Amino acid sequence: MDLQTITYLVVGASFALYIGIAIWARAGSTSEFYAAGGSVHPITNGMATAADWMSAASFISMAGLIANMGYGGGLFLMGWTGGYVLLAMLLAPYLRKFGKFTVPQFIGDRFYSQTASTVAVICLLTASLTYIIGQMTGVGVAFSRFLGVSSETGIYIGMAIVFMYAVFGGMKGITYTQVAQYVVLISAYLVPAIFISLQLTGNPLPQLGLGSDISGTDTTLLQKLDLVVKDLGFDQYTTAMPGSMLNMFMYTLSLMIGTAGLPHVIMRFFTVPTVKDARSSAGWALVFIALLYTTAPAIAAMAKLNLHATVNQAVGLETTAAGNLVVNPEKVAANADLYAAENSLQYEQRPEWMKRWEKTGLLKFEDKNGDGRIQYYNDKTKNADVAAKAEAAGWKGNELTVNADIIVMANPEIALLPNWVIALVAAGGLAAALSTAAGLLMAISSAVSHDLVKGVFNPNISDKNELLAGKISMAVAIVIAGYLGLNPPGFAAGTVALAFGIAASSLFPAIMMGIFSKKMNREGAIAGMLSGLFITLFYVFAHKGIFFIKGTEFTDLIGGPNSFFGITPEAFGAVGAIVNFIVAFVVDKVTKEPPEHIQHMVESVRIPRGSKLVDGAH
Amino acid sequence: MENNSKTYWGTVLGLLTKILIIWFAVSFGAGILFAPALNSISLGGYPLGFWFAHQGSIYIFIALIFYYAKKMGDIDRQFDVHEE
């Protein structure tokens, strides 16, 4: 069977599974629709949370980003996992005890204000909608690259699948499909990683392989990689850091706070039966997430070494007759001259996978010095030695451009794994994008049907009609998300940073103060949310344009790019959060304290006893 | 058996502070601020600072959450505020 057929079969089977689950898990009440009936086992919820959390970007792009960034890529690894510690200890159990369906409902009730709730709905919708654009384009990318259909067709198919289980099943349908999607995506991620780790180090666990010697040598994989990339003019892999240490610090902190404040993640914890379950469920979520997040850096380093070895024989991996990469221990230890002419790969002898990915445009070769060989190095290096060596060797600039996404997508082909593994990776990428999109759609539709329709316009709506409203807003949200995916507003790349910035600067501080500061009042919370949101948007828009419209950047006004202590806009969410806290406390001090019954409410939220199933009462 | 919501909350905050200190120390401390210094030590084939940033802090985060969940269960029972 050829690759295309197998891919269709594997992806088709995974879709059939999701639809089967959708039919089995229909939602019959608002409690099932918003919170899966509040009866999800903490481990099941942990797995669903992991799938919800890990997006197309985590699956397809993260390892490639880390391969490019080296040590500095750790900011994604720590930032996107460390937030779960905050979520588990500061938010999830208390929101579960509060026992309502949505995040804006907590903010509205706790700060006894319709305005606070509406501000929270706006923050939630902006964060979730910007985030979902990335997921929809991710679905399109996965379809077009793996199945050879246009990305438009891919998005339509993706919308149809999500429609089936999200509209009819609500949170219940989404939860159980996410469990299946987690299994698909994690197998797709681990199988190639185990193979590649075995090939290079003989250790089947990528997490240990990354810290092992290269097979048959006493050189560690990381030492060898450092040596090769440094000699080619790149930053040393294990110490490379983009920007300053302060920026890495703030970037990591922003991702952590943003993770804990993202509504589609928080609301997953409304589905477990008890407060105790909410605590442990966050731990299980992180276990399942960590399986991928600790594997990603191994894939990054190993695939990077593989790539260099493929185009430069001196690295010490050899391509067998079958096209397989194997370690040649003597050659690895010899550290031969990377600049010797015969060591650069002849373009005509490039492996099959390079030819395949050249067609997609993700891999490009340009023979600048006309020698018919591929030279892959950093031609912008500041290292004079490297520049001199390259010049002496007659190299006229870097000749290979590699899109970061290839690291994961072409990994099974580089390691010459069987076709079913390549097909599995396609299904995994789609599972990652679909599961996150569904979680976001759930957050959007519940904010609309529960917080706006029931909370604002029609408080007396019956359970049955609210369920219908929920399903309609879900359907509308899918259409909007699909539209945005088909016509990305030209700023898709900046949107994820914006979603984290909003969650970090507005929602996280408001929820946290609602629980940990009994005296925090309505005025303080609203002023805090608005100022945190404003300052973050201001800084992001200064760099990327007002609402990301090209040409409306105003970096001059704030004194040049990254003018605030060299902090990049992606890393600014933490600053927004600090502003939020300070403004809230100052305003709180000069306005009158919250009514007695609110203070009692906070006290009851703090203790687990008396927890009940979540309900929708306003 | 104690039953005092102020002491209960104080105990909880004490636990949170302890855990957050470790959370900060492994990620922002060992993984970022002190990573250059720690890199001179090696853990298997890993430079230690690099290991904390790419592997270690994640493992410790998991341990922290389960430790928190267990300790909170103990505290809840001690103050008799646990769920039935």
Side-chain angles (χ1 to χ4, degrees):
Chain A
M1 250 190 295
D2 68 336
L3 178 59
Q4 199 75 346
T5 319
I6 297 183
T7 311
Y8 275 109
L9 280 179
V10 172
V11 172
S14 70
F15 282 5
L17 176 65
Y18 308 152
I19 293 169
I21 293 171
I23 294 168
W24 167 72
R26 282 186 311 272
S29 67
T30 51
S31 163
E32 289 190 341
F33 189 80
Y34 292 128
S39 59
V40 180
H41 189 273
I43 298 183
T44 312
N45 183 57
M47 206 177 260
T49 308
D52 197 329
W53 172 241
M54 293 188 288
S55 58
S58 288
F59 187 91
I60 298 174
S61 309
M62 192 175 64
L65 278 173
I66 298 168
N68 283 343
M69 293 166 73
Y71 156 76
L75 68 92
F76 296 118
L77 298 165
M78 293 187 287
W80 283 334
T81 54
Y84 279 84
V85 179
L86 302 179
L87 185 63
M89 298 198 313
L90 305 180
L91 311 184
Y94 302 106
L95 290 174
R96 175 62 194 81
K97 171 66 197 298
F98 179 68
K100 294 292 157 66
F101 289 149
T102 67
V103 170
Q105 197 181 355
F106 171 76
I107 292 180
D109 286 7
R110 164 62 184 83
F111 297 112
Y112 46 100
S113 156
Q114 196 73 74
T115 316
S117 158
T118 310
V119 172
V121 169
I122 293 168
C123 295
L124 183 153
L125 290 180
T126 326
S128 303
L129 277 172
T130 47
Y131 208 112
I132 210 168
I133 298 170
Q135 300 312 311
M136 279 313 196
T137 42
V139 171
V141 167
F143 265 104
S144 63
R145 285 180 194 161
F146 290 116
L147 298 178
V149 298
S150 73
S151 62
E152 284 80 19
T153 317
I155 290 175
Y156 286 124
I157 301 174
M159 280 167 68
I161 300 283
V162 174
F163 189 92
M164 276 189 245
Y165 62 80
V167 172
F168 298 113
M171 191 56 133
K172 192 176 166 197
I174 288 173
T175 301
Y176 294 105
T177 35
Q178 280 174 336
V179 170
Q181 284 160 339
Y182 177 79
V183 175
V184 172
L185 83 87
I186 201 68
S187 339
Y189 208 77
L190 293 183
V191 170
I194 290 169
F195 274 105
I196 191 176
S197 179
L198 269 175
Q199 282 179 346
L200 287 177
T201 67
N203 196 321
L205 286 180
Q207 289 82 349
L208 298 180
L210 180 57
S212 299
D213 292 344
I214 297 180
S215 295
T217 70
D218 49 12
T219 312
T220 69
L221 187 116
L222 287 168
Q223 277 169 345
K224 182 70 188 177
L225 183 60
D226 272 350
L227 205 69
V228 170
V229 295
K230 245 175 97 177
D231 203 21
L232 291 170
F234 298 98
D235 288 335
Q236 177 168 315
Y237 188 78
T238 52
T239 55
M241 181 160 50
S244 65
M245 187 182 273
L246 175 68
N247 189 59
M248 179 157 170
F249 187 101
M250 294 305 280
Y251 204 151
T252 309
L253 187 60
S254 300
L255 294 182
M256 286 188 186
I257 301 178
T259 300
L262 279 175
H264 73 282
V265 178
I266 294 176
M267 67 188 300
R268 285 237 45 98
F269 293 90
F270 301 151
T271 67
V272 294
T274 65
V275 173
K276 193 164 156 266
D277 291 336
R279 293 173 188 151
S280 67
S281 193
W284 285 111
L286 191 53
V287 168
F288 295 122
I289 292 169
L291 262 179
L292 189 145
Y293 273 58
T294 55
T295 306
I299 293 185
M302 290 173 189
K304 192 180 176 90
L305 188 67
N306 260 350
L307 183 65
H308 280 293
T310 306
V311 294
N312 199 315
Q313 312 290 325
V315 173
L317 308 187
E318 281 173 353
T319 313
T320 61
N324 218 348
L325 272 182
V326 289
V327 176
N328 179 333
E330 287 88 51
K331 250 178 139 179
V332 169
N335 292 321
D337 183 9
L338 296 163
Y339 291 87
E342 71 278 8
N343 282 334
S344 295
L345 178 72
Q346 279 180 325
Y347 181 65
E348 288 311 319
Q349 287 175 6
R350 69 197 186 283
E352 283 303 312
W353 68 265
M354 286 182 100
K355 294 180 192 162
R356 260 201 298 276
W357 288 94
E358 265 176 317
K359 287 192 202 124
T360 63
L362 295 182
L363 191 89
K364 284 196 203 84
F365 170 68
E366 186 196 344
D367 196 2
K368 290 182 181 157
N369 62 354
D371 65 351
R373 291 171 181 272
I374 303 174
Q375 278 100 36
Y376 179 43
Y377 71 113
N378 181 11
D379 51 11
K380 292 177 191 67
T381 180
K382 297 207 171 62
N383 184 334
D385 273 0
V386 172
K389 275 196 251 179
E391 171 137 26
W395 292 11
K396 296 257 166 30
N398 175 42
E399 301 180 341
L400 189 71
T401 22
V402 184
N403 184 297
D405 292 354
I406 282 194
I407 294 287
V408 167
M409 294 201 294
N411 206 5
E413 297 167 69
I414 299 174
L416 266 201
L417 302 181
N419 279 350
W420 65 265
V421 179
I422 304 175
L424 188 62
V425 171
L430 288 165
L434 291 174
S435 57
T436 307
L440 289 162
L441 287 164
M442 192 64 227
I444 293 169
S445 71
S446 63
V448 171
S449 63
H450 194 66
D451 298 316
L452 291 182
V453 173
K454 186 182 165 92
V456 179
F457 300 116
N458 186 4
N460 299 321
I461 192 169
S462 71
D463 190 77
K464 204 172 140 224
N465 284 341
E466 193 192 344
L467 179 62
L468 184 65
K471 291 183 174 181
I472 293 171
S473 27
M474 177 70 82
V476 173
I478 292 175
V479 173
I480 295 174
Y483 175 81
L484 290 172
L486 290 165
N487 308 285
F491 56 80
T495 54
V496 171
L498 184 64
F500 278 91
I502 292 171
S505 63
S506 61
L507 295 170
F508 177 84
I511 304 171
M512 193 181 154
M513 288 184 293
I515 298 161
F516 286 83
S517 165
K518 206 160 47 172
K519 303 272 182 201
M520 180 51 65
N521 64 11
R522 168 176 65 195
E523 291 79 6
I526 296 173
M529 276 196 283
L530 290 177
S531 48
L533 183 65
F534 176 79
I535 189 105
T536 307
L537 289 180
F538 181 81
Y539 198 75
V540 173
F541 288 166
H543 290 82
K544 315 229 164 187
I546 299 166
F547 292 100
F548 297 93
I549 297 162
K550 283 243 175 320
T552 59
E553 297 86 358
F554 50 93
T555 40
D556 291 344
L557 201 68
I558 59 165
N562 308 334
S563 52
F564 191 79
F565 297 104
I567 292 171
T568 55
E570 292 81 10
F572 199 76
V575 181
I578 294 166
V579 170
N580 183 333
F581 280 120
I582 294 172
V583 170
F585 277 104
V586 170
V587 172
D588 178 59
K589 279 278 164 287
V590 298
T591 46
K592 70 175 198 288
E593 66 173 45
E596 196 73 7
H597 73 276
I598 295 294
Q599 303 192 28
H600 286 306
M601 187 187 103
V602 176
E603 274 177 10
S604 88
V605 162
R606 287 176 178 180
I607 58 164
R609 173 151 306 164
S611 69
K612 55 178 178 50
L613 284 186
V614 288
D615 65 42
H618 267 270
Chain B
M1 288 280 194
E2 296 166 71
N3 199 352
N4 177 330
S5 68
K6 260 214 178 99
T7 345
Y8 170 74
W9 192 239
T11 317
V12 170
L13 292 183
L15 175 68
L16 296 191
T17 312
K18 221 165 64 181
I19 295 176
L20 285 177
I21 289 172
I22 303 173
W23 166 81
F24 184 88
V26 293
S27 49
F28 296 98
I32 300 178
L33 299 174
F34 301 109
L38 290 175
N39 277 340
S40 55
I41 307 167
S42 61
L43 179 82
Y46 282 109
L48 193 57
F50 175 85
W51 180 79
F52 269 107
H54 278 219
Q55 298 275 314
S57 20
I58 303 178
Y59 300 131
I60 296 166
F61 292 153
I62 295 176
L64 286 178
I65 298 182
F66 283 112
Y67 175 75
Y68 160 79
K70 191 189 166 299
K71 274 288 176 198
M72 282 299 282
D74 296 347
I75 296 174
D76 288 349
R77 269 188 300 280
Q78 184 192 341
F79 286 89
D80 193 29
V81 294
H82 56 284
E83 293 152 299
E84 283 78 26

